[in-house]
C-alpha cells in the first residue's frame, strides 16, 4: 500500500512538473501535436475602411488538437499585400499558423482593413494606421477573452505578433510606435485623431495591447529610433535583394514609390545599439518574402523563428539556426531626434551619429534654387536620386566620383524635392531641396 501511495505521489509530481514546464516534453521546439484544429472567421471587431464603409474584422484560429494546457502562448500572424491585398488564408501565414500550432502555440491569422486611394504616400500612411489599429483590436480580443470566458486559454504573458511584408510593418509599428508625437512627421495630430489615434476604434476597448515579442518577415519601421531601450525582443528575416521593402534603408516600392523605411538591417543595428534582444537572419541574394512559395526558405524561416521563440519561452532545447548567419551591408544610423529633442544612440558598428559627418558629407547649393543646383560630397557617390514630394523619381545618376556634381532642374516645377545620395560604404544621406523660380 505504501509503495502504491509513493508511486501515485511521484506520478502526481511528474504531471505537476509538466504543467509547470511544458518545455520538458519538447513543446514549442518540436511538433508534439500531430494535428491542429482550425476555427474560421471569428469576428474580433469592425471599423470603417478607406471608402467609409464598414468592414467586419475576422480571424482564423489554429489550436493544437486535444491540448490540455490551461495557459497557452499566442502568435498573431498578419498577412502581407502592400496594404491593398492579401488575406488571412495567404499561404505563408497559413503554413506558419499550422506548423506552430503543432508545436503547441495558439495561432491567429487576421484580416485587417485594406485599400487606399489615391495611391500615394499620404494615403499609404493612413493604411498603415488602419492596420495598426486592427491588429491592436485583435490583441485586445484575446486579453478580453482571457479575462472573461477564457474560451481560448491564452497565456497573456506570452503574446507574440508577426507577419510578412505589410504584415511585418504592421506588427513592428504596433510594438514600437507608442507615442503620437513620434508620428508627427507623417501625420498631423488632428489627422491622426480623426482616424481614431494609434489605438483606434476597431473593437474591444479597455483591454491591453501589450505584446511580448515581434516576428519580422521582410518588414520595416518608418523610423529606426522608434525602437527604444527596454522594448520587447524581435527576430527578423530579410532578403538582400528585396526590391519592395529594402533590406537596409530605402524607398518602399510595391509598384509605386511611396515612402522611405528602415528595413531589417537598420532595425537590427538599432536594437544592438540600445541593448534590445534580437536575432536577424539574412537570405543572401533573395527577393521580397523569399519563403513565400519556396519550401527551403520557408523551412529556414520556421526553424529560425522556432529558435527565437523557445528562447523567449525560456526553453532549453538546442537551436537549429542560431547563432544567425552573416548579415550583409553596413547600416549607418542617420541622425534623428526623439520627441524631447534628444539625440539617438550609436550603432553596433561603433559609428555614431556624431561620427557620420566624418565618413561622408552631402551639401546642395544654392538652396532654394531657381533650377541649377550643385551637389558636393566628400568622395563622390555610388548613386544619386532626386524625388518629387509625391515620391516620383525625377533624376538619377550612378557611380560619380568627382566631389562636385551639377544638375539642371529647370524643367521641374516649383516645390519641395528630396535628394538621396548613397556612398560606396553603404552610408545613405538625404537633403531637402526647394525649387523657387
Amino acid at each position: 500500500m505504501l509503495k502504491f501511495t509513493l508511486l501515485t505521489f511521484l506520478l502526481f509530481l511528474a504531471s505537476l512538473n509538466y504543467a509547470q514546464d511544458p518545455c520538458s516534453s519538447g513543446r514549442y521546439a518540436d511538433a508534439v501535436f500531430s494535428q491542429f484544429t482550425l476555427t474560421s472567421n471569428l469576428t474580433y471587431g469592425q471599423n470603417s475602411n478607406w471608402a467609409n464603409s464598414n468592414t467586419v474584422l475576422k480571424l482564423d484560429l489554429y489550436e493544437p488538437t486535444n491540448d490540455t494546457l490551461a495557459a497557452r502562448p499566442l502568435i498573431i500572424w498578419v498577412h502581407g499585400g502592400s496594404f491593398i491585398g492579401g488575406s488571412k488564408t495567404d499561404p505563408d501565414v497559413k503554413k506558419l499558423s499550422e506548423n506552430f500550432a503543432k508545436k503547441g502555440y495558439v495561432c491567429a491569422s487576421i484580416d485587417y482593413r485594406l485599400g487606399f486611394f489615391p495611391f500615394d504616400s499620404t494615403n499609404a500612411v493612413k493604411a498603415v494606421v488602419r492596420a495598426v489599429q486592427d491588429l491592436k483590436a485583435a490583441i485586445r480580443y484575446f486579453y478580453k477573452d482571457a479575462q472573461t470566458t477564457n474560451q481560448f486559454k491564452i497565456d497573456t504573458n506570452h503574446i507574440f505578433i508577426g507577419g510578412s511584408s505589410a504584415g511585418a510593418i504592421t506588427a513592428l509599428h504596433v510594438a514600437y510606435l507608442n507615442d503620437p508625437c513620434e508620428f508627427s512627421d507623417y501625420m498631423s495630430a488632428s489627422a491622426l485623431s480623426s482616424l481614431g489615434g494609434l489605438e483606434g476604434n476597431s473593437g474591444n476597448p479597455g483591454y491591453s495591447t501589450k505584446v511580448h515579442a515581434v516576428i519580422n518577415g521582410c518588414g520595416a519601421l518608418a523610423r529606426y529610433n522608434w525602437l527604444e531601450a527596454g522594448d520587447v525582443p524581435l527576430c527578423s528575416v530579410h532578403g538582400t535583394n528585396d526590391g519592395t521593402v529594402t533590406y537596409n534603408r530605402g524607398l518602399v516600392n510595391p509598384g509605386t514609390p511611396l515612402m522611405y523605411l528602415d528595413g531589417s538591417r537598420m532595425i537590427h543595428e538599432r536594437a544592438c545599439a540600445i541593448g534590445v534582444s534580437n536575432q536577424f537572419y539574412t537570405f543572401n541574394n533573395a527577393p521580397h518574402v523569399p519563403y513565400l512559395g519556396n519550401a527551403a526558405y520557408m523551412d529556414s524561416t520556421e526553424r529560425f523563428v522556432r529558435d527565437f521563440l523557445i528562447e523567449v519561452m525560456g526553453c532549453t532545447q538546442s537551436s537549429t539556426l542560431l547563432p544567425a548567419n552573416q548579415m550583409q551591408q553596413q547600416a549607418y544610423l542617420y541622425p534623428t531626434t526623439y520627441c524631447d529633442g534628444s539625440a539617438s544612440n550609436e550603432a553596433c558598428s561603433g559609428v555614431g551619429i556624431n561620427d557620420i559627418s566624418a565618413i561622408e558629407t552631402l551639401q546642395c547649393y544654392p538652396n532654394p534654387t531657381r533650377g541649377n543646383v550643385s551637389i558636393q560630397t566628400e568622395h563622390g557617390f555610388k548613386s544619386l536620386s532626386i524625388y518629387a514630394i509625391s515620391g516620383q523619381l525625377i533624376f538619377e545618376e550612378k557611380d560619380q566620383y568627382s566631389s562636385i556634381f551639377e544638375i539642371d532642374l529647370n524643367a521641374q516645377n516649383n516645390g519641395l524635392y528630396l535628394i538621396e545620395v548613397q556612398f560606396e560604404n553603404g552610408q545613405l544621406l538625404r537633403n531637402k531641396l526647394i525649387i523657387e523660380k
Side-chain angles (χ1 to χ4, degrees):
M1 180 67 178
L2 179 60
K3 290 182 179 179
F4 176 77
T5 304
L6 180 59
L7 178 61
T8 303
F9 179 68
L10 291 174
L11 289 173
F12 169 75
L13 287 180
S15 65
L16 182 62
N17 180 64
Y18 171 77
Q20 293 175 339
D21 182 21
C23 300
S24 62
S25 69
R27 185 174 183 137
Y28 311 133
D30 304 310
V32 296
F33 295 87
S34 60
Q35 295 180 317
F36 63 89
T37 300
L38 171 63
T39 305
S40 299
N41 295 320
L42 293 170
T43 298
Y44 72 86
Q46 60 180 355
N47 209 336
S48 296
N49 63 18
W50 69 274
N52 292 320
S53 61
N54 188 61
T55 298
V56 177
L57 302 168
K58 296 183 180 293
L59 61 84
D60 289 347
L61 194 74
Y62 298 75
E63 301 174 87
T65 300
N66 297 323
D67 186 15
T68 59
L69 194 64
R72 307 175 296 178
L74 169 71
I75 309 173
I76 303 178
W77 296 104
V78 190
H79 67 81
S82 303
F83 299 99
I84 57 174
S87 80
K88 58 184 170 60
T89 59
D90 280 0
D92 56 332
V93 289
K94 186 175 186 294
K95 181 73 169 177
L96 290 167
S97 295
E98 292 173 354
N99 289 353
F100 278 91
K102 290 180 181 179
K103 289 178 173 63
Y105 297 87
V106 177
C107 291
S109 179
I110 70 167
D111 277 337
Y112 54 97
R113 287 171 291 166
L114 298 173
F116 57 98
F117 186 82
F119 201 69
D120 56 25
S121 57
T122 298
N123 287 292
V125 168
K126 293 179 181 179
V128 174
V129 171
R130 286 190 288 268
V132 164
Q133 293 171 340
D134 293 350
L135 177 52
K136 287 190 173 186
I139 297 166
R140 292 194 295 263
Y141 175 78
F142 288 101
Y143 273 101
K144 178 180 180 180
D145 172 77
Q147 295 175 37
T148 54
T149 62
N150 199 27
Q151 175 184 356
F152 306 125
K153 297 181 174 60
I154 299 302
D155 176 5
T156 54
N157 291 314
H158 290 100
I159 293 180
F160 313 124
I161 56 174
S164 302
S165 187
I169 291 171
T170 301
L172 287 164
H173 284 81
V174 164
Y176 304 126
L177 175 58
N178 51 28
D179 191 332
C181 81
E182 296 174 327
F183 206 55
S184 59
D185 285 344
Y186 297 88
M187 182 177 291
S188 68
S190 59
L192 181 60
S193 177
S194 69
L195 290 176
L198 292 177
E199 290 300 309
N201 303 305
S202 295
N204 315 301
Y207 291 91
S208 176
T209 57
K210 180 177 176 61
V211 299
H212 302 89
V214 181
I215 302 162
N216 164 32
C218 311
L221 273 171
R223 287 285 185 270
Y224 75 80
N225 70 321
W226 294 349
L227 175 61
E228 301 177 80
D231 278 345
V232 298
L234 77 153
C235 71
S236 302
V237 297
H238 214 129
T240 58
N241 286 352
D242 193 329
T244 302
V245 181
T246 55
Y247 173 80
N248 206 319
R249 173 172 172 78
L251 193 65
V252 63
N253 186 356
T256 298
L258 291 175
M259 67 186 74
Y260 281 86
L261 295 178
D262 291 334
S264 300
R265 180 67 181 88
M266 290 286 287
I267 295 170
H268 171 74
E269 193 79 0
R270 169 62 170 179
C272 290
I274 61 176
V276 170
S277 176
N278 78 106
Q279 296 292 343
F280 181 32
Y281 196 86
T282 293
F283 291 119
N284 289 319
N285 302 315
H288 188 52
V289 194
Y291 51 86
L292 181 59
N294 184 300
Y297 282 132
M298 174 58 81
D299 178 68
S300 296
T301 299
E302 182 186 331
R303 289 193 290 137
F304 184 69
V305 173
R306 170 261 193 201
D307 291 351
F308 168 74
L309 288 179
I310 61 173
E311 282 193 355
V312 174
M313 294 298 299
C315 301
T316 58
Q317 286 90 346
S318 298
S319 297
T320 59
L321 281 183
L322 292 178
N325 63 345
Q326 182 65 42
M327 72 187 76
Q328 302 297 311
Q329 304 178 17
Q330 181 62 58
Y332 291 97
L333 301 184
Y334 54 87
T336 65
T337 56
Y338 296 115
C339 296
D340 62 4
S342 61
S344 63
N345 295 327
E346 292 188 354
C348 298
S349 60
V351 180
I353 62 169
N354 295 325
D355 303 320
I356 285 181
S357 61
I359 301 169
E360 293 289 1
T361 59
L362 168 64
Q363 300 179 53
C364 55
Y365 55 87
N367 191 6
T369 178
R370 292 183 179 274
N372 294 310
V373 63
S374 296
I375 305 296
Q376 182 170 344
T377 63
E378 191 74 17
H379 302 107
F381 51 79
K382 182 178 180 181
S383 67
L384 166 76
S385 303
I386 301 180
Y387 297 92
I389 193 64
S390 65
Q392 179 186 4
L393 178 67
I394 64 165
F395 181 88
E396 187 172 38
E397 179 75 16
K398 294 184 181 295
D399 299 322
Q400 174 60 236
Y401 297 107
S402 62
S403 59
I404 299 179
F405 183 72
E406 296 184 353
I407 309 171
D408 181 357
L409 297 176
N410 281 285
Q412 303 302 321
N413 295 325
N414 288 353
L416 179 65
Y417 294 81
L418 180 69
I419 298 175
E420 176 185 275
V421 174
Q422 185 172 26
F423 300 92
E424 287 288 347
N425 64 7
Q427 184 186 358
L428 193 70
L429 293 179
R430 299 177 300 153
N431 271 346
K432 294 178 180 178
L433 174 69
I434 298 173
I435 297 179
E436 290 180 351
K437 299 176 183 178

